[in-house]
Amino acid sequence: MNGPAAVAPPGDHGWLDAAILSGDVLIPGSDGRSRVFAEVGADRDGPVTRHLLTFAADDRTSVRRTVFALLEHLFSRRSDPPSVAGAAEAALADVDPQVRRTAAALLVSTADPDRAAAVLHACSEPVVRIALVDAMTGAATTRPRPDLHRLRSDPVPAVRLLANVALFSRDDPAAWTRLDTAVRADLDASAGVLDAPGSVLRLTAGERWARVLTGFDREADCYGWVRRLTDPAEKPQVRREGVRMAVEAMRQWRAAPTRLAPVLTACLKEDPSEVRSSALLALAASLTASRQAADDLAATLDDPELGVPAAIGLGSAGDHRAVPHLVRLVLTEGSRSGDALAGGEEARLAEAFRAVARAGADPRAPVAAARQILAERPDPCAAALPMRVLAAFGPAAASAVPELIAMIRVAGNDTPGCVFDVLGRIGPAAEPAVPLLLQNSTQSAALALLRITSDRAVADRYLAGRPEELRHGHVAAKLLTWLAGHGGLTTRQHRQLRSLFRRPGFGQVESAGAVWLHEGPAAAAELLEVLAGYLSDDMRGPEALRVLTAMGSHALPIIDRLDRFTASRRRAGFDIGDWDDEMRADEMLLAATLYARERIAGDRL
């Protein structure tokens, strides 16, 4: 983020005009957006608000879209200036459907409920009616709802569907079958309507229905509807909604990937279509489903459209057949100057390499590809992906040490920690880098030195330079853990360890292994009490489980907690920000928990 914007004279809105025309006001964290929110927050009906409203009837469609999207983010309560609701109501007649949708949502947020209801009653234009009802019936809205029973017979199919979805109630399960039938009747006509640009939730008709099914835990019903909707006899738009329903099910229920993989793999055997593509993406998003459909994903690896997600999905499941295709992806990305992979695909590609490396894939081609990229582009900041590849293979990436040394020489004191991390993961074979590491005083360099040389003095020197009361320290925890397993800790180092272990968070979990190594069974009860709090944490849980596994039979009292986690039909409630990332995090934590339980219990249970 840039520095603070220059202060303009009162009444000078040139900065605002420029931010609107460039779209800067819609970019989170941008200077223009931050200034708008600050000034409107200080004066809801002030000069910035009034100036924004002058753009509500601008001749340029792009400007009107930007302004109404910004107004919707800025104003969300009836106490906001009446002029905002007035501008929203006037825009319901805009020639652009996207503007009309956004304006309808803004009107429902800022106008008196009776006014919004009157507008809905008087309006016959489908786009506006749908948007108004969508805003009035949204799960998060606190506004009084319209007469849903009356809207069930509305002439607009999407309005009827929204009303029926809103009528589902946990208190009236007897009505579910009737409402399901009504939603299904309007599903075809509502496809592509409810998720149009400017819509409140941007969820399709099938996704809305699926969230009703998952929200009320109607697992068997959901699976049944997925099978019916994806039937080849249905229209393509209905079948796509069936696939979307399958995606929602897999994100919520742990059994769903296994139950629905056969339904989705059947779609892969069809001719190319949007249904086939969406089915493959659904399978590749889940580690469990990718394993279930491994042969079908492998059959599409050479597909020009689906090969990339198929390779990433297959690789993330640890299948070696994906490796040549993953290598080609790395080389393709390395030859481009910009970000070529969409969204989080680069992170998933790195995840796939970690999985195939853990599964014992041949490291030669991936390491050679990473080395080729580093040789061509030695700037560490532009080499995130090849560095992740090398880190995945650890000691097997030893041939890349010359390129890593070259990167340190280029970057000098600005060498990012990932370079040192890779050298440390390579271990003793990275010995030629030691002279450069000795010249670097960073934590990452110290940890790499220790892993390469196994020289206790490296850790002793670093920790001696740190205070006895450590408040945080990822590297310190790693060094203390190594020392605890290689000769033990000094009295001062033990106090450093205990200071880390006292503070909840990453430091506590990362230092737990050292506590076990140094103190042994005497610390078992304390470790069990502390680590139990992290078992459902997607980031800290795996490390907590590793410590519990190392404790063996001393961790037996935790078995019941592990069993409660693994017995859950629904996924753990993570807050990562991406539904598919959260699904995979649950799949990985579930697998780690099952493994830990088996190792802890042994033959005792």
Side-chain angles (χ1 to χ4, degrees), residues 164-189:
N164 282 308
V165 166
L167 280 167
F168 278 94
S169 167
R170 194 175 300 278
D171 297 328
D172 188 17
W176 289 351
T177 300
R178 170 173 52 83
L179 291 170
D180 282 340
T181 301
V183 171
R184 173 63 187 91
D186 289 319
L187 192 65
D188 188 353

Side-chain angles (χ1 to χ4, degrees), residues 15 28 49 81-82 115 200 224 292 355 373 391 446 489 545-546:
W15 66 271
T49 296
R115 179 180 180 181
V200 176
Q292 293 284 321
I373 296 169
L489 306 176
L545 289 167
R546 279 191 285 273

Side-chain angles (χ1 to χ4, degrees), residues 90-224:
L92 298 181
D94 197 281
V95 296
D96 181 59
Q98 182 171 332
V99 172
R100 297 202 298 275
R101 293 186 191 99
T102 310
L106 180 63
L107 177 67
V108 171
S109 296
T110 56
D112 182 88
D114 291 338
R115 179 180 180 181
V119 170
L120 174 62
H121 180 72
C123 176
S124 60
E125 200 277 312
V127 168
V128 174
R129 284 187 65 76
I130 293 167
L132 288 170
V133 174
D134 194 7
M136 291 176 175
T137 60
T141 185
T142 58
R143 310 297 186 220
R145 292 187 173 188
D147 185 345
L148 296 175
H149 290 284
R150 178 180 177 182
L151 291 177
R152 292 190 71 221
S153 58
D154 195 90
V156 180
V159 169
R160 296 196 299 267
L161 186 142
L162 286 170
N164 282 308
V165 166
L167 280 167
F168 278 94
S169 167
R170 194 175 300 278
D171 297 328
D172 188 17
W176 289 351
T177 300
R178 170 173 52 83
L179 291 170
D180 282 340
T181 301
V183 171
R184 173 63 187 91
D186 289 319
L187 192 65
D188 188 353
S190 301
V193 174
L194 296 176
D195 59 328
S199 301
V200 176
L201 295 179
R202 295 300 300 271
L203 295 175
T204 70
E207 288 168 337
R208 292 165 191 262
W209 189 12
R211 293 197 176 187
V212 167
L213 295 170
T214 58
F216 293 154
D217 207 24
R218 299 173 57 194
E219 189 171 5
D221 290 343
C222 190
Y223 297 160

